[in-house]
Amino acid sequence: MEVAGDLEAKIESLLNVEKKMRLDNDVAGTKKAVTDILQLCYEAKAWKTLNDQIVLLSKRRGQLKQAVTAMVQQAMQYIDETPDVESKVELIKALNSVSAGKIYVEIERARLIKKLAKIKEEQGQIAEAADLMQEIAVETFGAMAKTEKIAFILEQVRLCLDRQDYVRAQILSRKISPRVFDADTSKEKKKPKEGDNVVEEAPADIPSLMELKRIYYELMIRFYSHSNDYLEICRCYKSIYEIPSVKEDPTQWIPVLRKICWYLVLSPHDPMQSSLLNSTLEDKNLSEISHFRLLLKQLVTMEVIQWTALWNTFNKEFDNEKNMLGGSLGDKAAEDLRQRNILVVSKYYSRITLKRLAQLLCLSVQEAEKHLSDMVVSKALVAKIDRPMGIVCFQAAKDSNDILNSWSLNLEKLLDLVEKSCHQIHKETMVHKVALKV
């Protein structure tokens, strides 16, 4: 009781000092008085008194902004020293109520919310943690370091993915431009001019820009895996592969390069997939995993690939990667390969019988027709099936105007050729006449 009474007496004395300094508009004196009060409560381990004093000091009439900032920063150092989780949460909530709506302590408030969300997550309350984090829009904080902003947004994205809120995760992820990771960090920082916002240094526990890049693309892989967007997953792995620390370590880049190859196989055939395929084939590191080089070379070559032969060759490799999509890759790869084979056939044939198409695809006639129909519906291919005749036509039906235009174009080309030929004949005749006269 004596210790408690002694503490109250000291606090009362310092409150009088704080009042005098505040009314005199003495910034340094007010800051010292406020921090001394908090220090007394901390040394006495009076956590409830500390919370009460934080709220009391912030509500005093005409309280200086600098004093509130110093008080919040001082109290934040005590959070990790609290004896239990309950005391920690109460202190964070007290500081949170003080910093709410005050732009001069917005960074401190963001850090407090992050700490509180971490506690909620550890208690298994992921939805509450995600809701807490979404209250803060750090992209508007001018004084916060770039890496700290990115780390905060990535934490928001991660919590949304953990609660399977994929729509909000996508919205939050768009706040980060991938170009921000390509910024040259080696350049010297310019000294701020007068009137400019001074950007604070990021805390020591914030990862570097390249580490954040990896975390960002790993989260995006989780997001795209939900919608089975294999091409985007492949592009994410490609970006991870380009990180210098990954590219220098074979134990890191070999698994990433393997995944790039697999997702290229699984991706639907389009210009972006073709571009990634060719750029990956040009990579010298691919020679270290020769199996995958052969696989990609087969995909690039415009020839029909026999699925049974390919499966026998890469069966073991497929089984090694069964955890990639949470199941066997064989069915999905076979589906994509059949679609690719149909596209290859359409380039070489204008008309083909269904029976012959089924033979090339190693399928029954009914299955070949189903795969072909699916591709036509998805507009990946233009084709018509004459079912009574059993013939597939890969040419699009031309409009009568298009046919007339092509004829007129051909006639123009023919007349140009005739004119050039006549000119050459006339030229040769004149040369010979001159030669005879001489």
Side-chain angles (χ1 to χ4, degrees):
M1 289 293 289
E2 287 180 13
V3 175
D6 191 33
L7 177 64
E8 284 178 16
K10 286 179 181 178
I11 289 171
E12 194 64 39
S13 171
L14 282 168
L15 284 171
N16 292 330
V17 173
E18 183 270 335
K19 182 180 179 181
K20 184 177 181 303
M21 295 294 177
R22 174 165 43 84
L23 294 174
D24 291 344
N25 212 22
D26 184 346
V27 175
T30 310
K31 281 169 72 174
K32 188 176 186 310
V34 164
T35 51
D36 285 349
I37 290 168
L38 299 190
Q39 187 65 29
L40 275 174
C41 296
Y42 168 67
E43 286 172 359
K45 303 297 179 188
W47 300 107
K48 191 176 185 309
T49 309
L50 176 67
N51 297 343
D52 294 340
Q53 289 303 320
I54 289 168
V55 176
L56 176 72
L57 288 165
S58 68
K59 288 182 178 178
R60 302 201 100 177
R61 184 170 63 86
Q63 186 60 275
L64 303 174
K65 291 179 182 179
Q66 295 90 334
V68 174
T69 306
M71 178 178 69
V72 171
Q73 289 174 349
Q74 175 86 356
M76 281 179 72
Q77 296 173 15
Y78 304 148
I79 290 171
D80 294 329
E81 305 296 326
T82 48
D84 51 40
V85 175
E86 192 177 337
S87 304
K88 186 183 284 188
V89 170
E90 288 300 319
L91 179 55
I92 291 171
K93 283 182 177 177
L95 289 169
N96 195 21
S97 66
V98 167
S99 58
K102 297 182 177 69
I103 200 166
Y104 49 89
V105 283
E106 60 185 4
I107 295 174
E108 284 77 10
R109 184 163 187 265
R111 290 170 184 166
L112 286 166
I113 291 290
K114 194 174 179 181
K115 284 177 184 289
L116 187 57
K118 192 176 180 183
I119 293 167
K120 293 284 184 189
E121 188 185 3
E122 286 170 358
Q123 292 172 347
Q125 300 172 3
I126 293 169
E128 285 185 31
D131 289 337
L132 276 171
M133 289 291 281
Q134 282 161 35
E135 290 176 11
I136 310 296
V138 289
E139 63 274 11
T140 61
F141 294 1
M144 185 180 269
K146 181 170 71 174
T147 50
E148 190 175 359
K149 278 186 194 179
I150 295 167
F152 195 94
I153 295 168
L154 289 177
E155 189 67 13
Q156 290 176 323
V157 174
R158 185 186 66 79
L159 286 168
C160 285
L161 290 172
D162 286 348
R163 72 184 292 193
Q164 298 182 347
D165 187 353
Y166 296 100
V167 174
R168 198 172 293 277
Q170 186 180 27
I171 293 166
L172 289 167
S173 68
R174 285 176 179 168
K175 291 180 180 180
I176 301 172
S177 170
R179 285 180 293 178
V180 79
F181 300 115
D182 301 326
D184 189 1
T185 52
S186 61
K187 289 181 181 177
E188 291 184 7
K189 291 180 181 177
K190 291 180 182 177
K191 290 183 179 178
K193 296 176 184 176
E194 280 189 46
D196 287 355
N197 283 333
V198 178
V199 179
E200 288 189 14
E201 288 291 324
D205 61 336
I206 298 296
S208 66
L209 197 62
M210 287 298 105
E211 288 170 349
L212 288 169
K213 180 178 181 178
R214 182 161 191 164
I215 294 165
Y216 169 77
Y217 283 111
E218 283 171 353
L219 289 172
M220 293 316 295
I221 287 164
R222 280 182 63 188
F223 171 74
Y224 289 122
S225 297
H226 169 68
S227 56
N228 293 336
D229 193 339
Y230 302 120
L231 186 59
E232 286 300 328
I233 295 170
C234 178
R235 289 177 68 190
C236 291
Y237 275 118
K238 189 82 172 170
S239 299
I240 292 172
Y241 179 70
E242 297 297 330
I243 297 171
S245 60
V246 174
K247 220 164 188 180
E248 289 166 7
D249 185 2
T251 57
Q252 289 190 52
W253 66 253
I254 287 176
V256 174
L257 191 55
R258 283 167 64 95
K259 283 183 168 58
I260 290 170
C261 295
W262 281 129
Y263 282 112
L264 277 171
V265 173
L266 296 169
S267 301
H269 189 77
D270 65 7
M272 179 62 77
Q273 189 255 11
S274 181
S275 173
L276 278 171
L277 196 58
N278 287 307
S279 64
T280 307
L281 265 172
E282 289 169 9
D283 194 333
K284 292 177 182 176
N285 288 337
L286 200 61
S287 58
E288 297 288 327
I289 43 176
S290 54
H291 267 313
F292 289 90
R293 188 177 186 83
L294 288 170
L295 177 63
L296 296 189
K297 215 146 186 100
Q298 280 186 298
L299 289 175
V300 169
T301 310
M302 291 306 288
E303 292 178 3
V304 173
I305 300 171
Q306 296 294 331
W307 168 245
T308 48
L310 185 77
W311 177 250
N312 292 334
T313 309
F314 291 97
N315 190 2
K316 288 181 181 178
E317 294 289 350
F318 271 86
D319 288 340
N320 291 340
E321 299 289 347
K322 63 170 63 176
N323 294 327
M324 188 189 286
L325 302 171
S328 175
L329 290 173
D331 297 338
K332 180 69 181 77
E335 177 73 26
D336 290 336
L337 202 64
R338 283 165 193 149
Q339 289 189 1
R340 179 198 168 277
N341 285 342
I342 290 170
L343 286 168
V344 171
V345 170
S346 70
K347 289 188 184 297
Y348 288 107
Y349 290 87
S350 57
R351 295 169 83 237
I352 187 173
T353 62
L354 260 176
K355 191 176 179 182
R356 177 64 181 145
L357 181 65
Q359 284 177 352
L360 291 170
L361 298 175
C362 303
L363 296 170
S364 66
V365 173
Q366 288 79 12
E367 285 176 329
E369 187 179 337
K370 181 185 175 297
H371 286 294
L372 185 62
S373 301
D374 290 342
M375 288 185 73
V376 172
V377 169
S378 64
K379 296 185 179 177
L381 185 71
V382 175
K384 280 189 175 182
I385 304 172
D386 185 345
R387 296 188 79 181
M389 296 291 290
I391 294 172
V392 181
C393 180
F394 290 110
Q395 289 181 329
K398 288 186 179 179
D399 186 45
S400 56
N401 291 327
D402 293 335
I403 295 167
L404 286 170
N405 288 337
S406 66
W407 284 357
S408 65
L409 188 67
N410 290 339
L411 281 170
E412 280 179 23
K413 287 180 180 177
L414 179 64
L415 291 169
D416 285 342
L417 284 169
V418 170
E419 192 177 341
K420 282 180 184 177
S421 302
C422 290
H423 176 70
Q424 291 293 336
I425 292 165
H426 186 65
K427 184 181 172 183
E428 288 293 322
T429 307
M430 295 300 290
V431 168
H432 281 295
K433 279 183 181 178
V434 172
L436 286 169
K437 285 178 183 179
V438 173

